[in-house]
Amino acid sequence: MAQAAHLSKFHFARAFTKAYGETPRTYLTRRRIERAKDLLRAANLTVTEICFLVGFESVGSFSSRFRDLVGMSPTEYRSASAGAPPIPGCFVLMWTRPGLARGQQSGRSTDGGGGVASGP
């Protein structure tokens, strides 16, 4: 981020903290945990899958940061917020897969429907 803003990483961190009241790392961790909370409530994914999907590299660090910020483990959070039927994990993984156009992910054709079917 600092490089994109054409600032040194130290100046960027000071400016970010002054503007938003938290360091860039704290902000990123908080946003990752917020996204994990959404996925734990709504998606049929394992805690490990969610951990890596939101950007953590270790299940242990994810679980400890989650507990620090939320007050309970990811599994306890999922159990406490059970209710709505979960989104199938395969759909979440497909939707968040990088490099595909949204039309391809949703199964819609991007050729305007003018494709010619070939048959035997």
Side-chain angles (χ1 to χ4, degrees):
M1 290 188 290
Q3 188 176 21
H6 302 291
L7 299 170
S8 76
K9 62 183 179 180
F10 304 108
H11 183 70
F12 178 80
R14 283 191 305 272
F16 189 97
T17 302
K18 183 178 179 184
Y20 296 102
E22 60 187 343
T23 66
R25 180 180 299 257
T26 303
Y27 173 81
L28 182 59
T29 300
R30 184 176 52 81
R31 294 293 294 155
R32 285 176 173 168
I33 296 296
E34 288 171 1
R35 177 72 177 128
K37 286 170 59 177
D38 288 340
L39 291 171
L40 285 165
R41 277 192 306 268
N44 186 18
L45 296 169
T46 66
V47 172
T48 302
E49 290 171 324
I50 291 171
C51 163
F52 294 121
L53 190 62
V54 299
F56 281 87
E57 295 180 5
S58 159
V59 177
S61 63
F62 168 69
S63 295
S64 65
R65 288 302 297 148
F66 193 96
R67 183 180 292 277
D68 291 344
L69 294 173
V70 179
M72 60 181 77
S73 73
T75 305
E76 292 169 340
Y77 182 83
R78 173 178 274 160
S79 297
S81 48
I87 299 168
C90 59
F91 182 77
V92 173
L93 292 174
M94 178 186 70
W95 189 256
T96 58
R97 189 171 153 201
L100 290 179
R102 289 289 182 222
Q104 290 173 318
Q105 289 180 349
S106 64
R108 288 187 226 124
S109 174
T110 56
D111 65 1
V116 177
S118 61

